[in-house]
Amino acid sequence: MRNYLNSRASDLKQGGIRAFFDRAKSIENPINLGIGEPDLSTPKPIIDEAYSAMLQGKTHYTQNAGDESVRRSIASYLRTFKADYDPNGEIIITCGGMGAVSMALLCTVSSEDEVIVQDPQWLNYKSQIKFCGGTPVCVPVYEKNRFSLHAADIEKCITEKTKILMINSPNNPTGAVLNKEELEAIAKLAIKHDLLVISDEVYCELLFDGLKHQTIASTPGMKERTIIINSMSKTFAMTGWRLGFAAGPKDIIAKMTILQENLSACAPSPAQFAAKFALDTMCGVDKMRDLYQRRRDIIVDGLNKIPGVTCMRPCGSFYVFPNISSFGMSSMDFATGLLQQ
Ligand code: PLP
């Protein structure tokens, strides 16, 4: 029998984190410090809103770009970051932030295109870029720079094939947050080299010590070359609801909408109405942020007490990125040792 898989599917590999979970299955009672998922439940008023939407019959397909009233709430939310988007044409509601990232890449990456991502970075970017036929090009970030992505390091990786730059602040996995000057330097570079920026802002509400999120899209000259990605998953502990959105240039959002028509028709409608309520009220966000900040301090202080381990105090997201280089082991060997011992 012939192999029915095409070469793109054949090249798909399970991510390292998921593979590690499979290994952990054989260990009794492991402590799960793994996946990027709030352990908290979705706030009850958000659940109630979805239930009430369903009882009102909001259980049907919505427009492919998502329900218009929900898009209007997203537009109001984005305005709090000085990003002005037309809910009719510049916003699409998607199946999770992942749906937004993958459709943005599917609509913009052509084979041979190079897409710049930082290293380390959330693993799915590279896999998605390759699936679209593009080549991921990694820019290292350094602990000495608090893991911030520097324009000068990005510029070293730009070639005539570079089309897209992906940024993610607050960052998974380093917790780094790009400040205004760093964002402006990246924006200048994007304009100079005519790059599209995919700005993944799914952790934008998880900023600590009073910091406020800034989007690169609000920098002059950037709105027309930026796709903002965001999601309910992390902000409202709604990972399983699969609800995210993208905001960007009309021509790209229009094609993403047609792609969504073909892939999933629309994001789940009860989740859309729950998201509208969540964004209109920011239900539970301050409480969750405070809790994450307290947990950050406990884990960072604890890690720094372990001989041989140092750990930067992250400004955002809910990750810590400890330095284990003094053990002279690869991170995979180190993690495997922790799991087994
Ligand atoms: N972007 C980043 C950086 C992430 O870490 C994640 C999830 O871990 C996502 C996007 C996607 O989240 P979701 O599809 O649940 O919205």
Side-chain angles (χ1 to χ4, degrees), residues 69-124:
S69 71
V70 186
R71 277 184 274 126
R72 276 203 298 270
S73 287
I74 292 172
S76 308
Y77 174 66
L78 288 172
R79 273 197 291 278
T80 65
F81 303 117
K82 302 194 183 81
D84 200 6
Y85 284 90
D86 179 355
N88 286 309
E90 293 183 325
I91 291 174
I92 177 173
I93 303 169
T94 56
C95 300
M98 260 165 158
V101 173
S102 60
M103 289 197 299
L105 289 169
L106 282 164
C107 288
T108 54
V109 176
S110 306
S111 59
E112 311 277 295
D113 285 344
E114 291 181 356
V115 181
I116 295 183
V117 291
Q118 78 165 55
D119 179 23
Q121 184 57 70
W122 185 48
L123 297 172
N124 297 55

Side-chain angles (χ1 to χ4, degrees), residues 10 19 49 65 113 126 131 134 137 189 216 261 292 298 304-305:
S10 300
E49 191 68 21
D113 285 344
K126 277 200 213 166
F131 193 76
V137 174
L189 200 64
I216 196 164
E261 174 190 340
Y292 290 133
I298 291 167
N304 280 314
K305 281 187 193 141

Side-chain angles (χ1 to χ4, degrees), residues 52-73:
S52 133
M54 284 189 275
L55 291 177
Q56 287 166 41
K58 294 180 176 170
T59 51
H60 299 271
Y61 296 129
T62 63
Q63 285 176 283
N64 299 123
D67 179 86
E68 194 188 330
S69 71
V70 186
R71 277 184 274 126
R72 276 203 298 270
S73 287

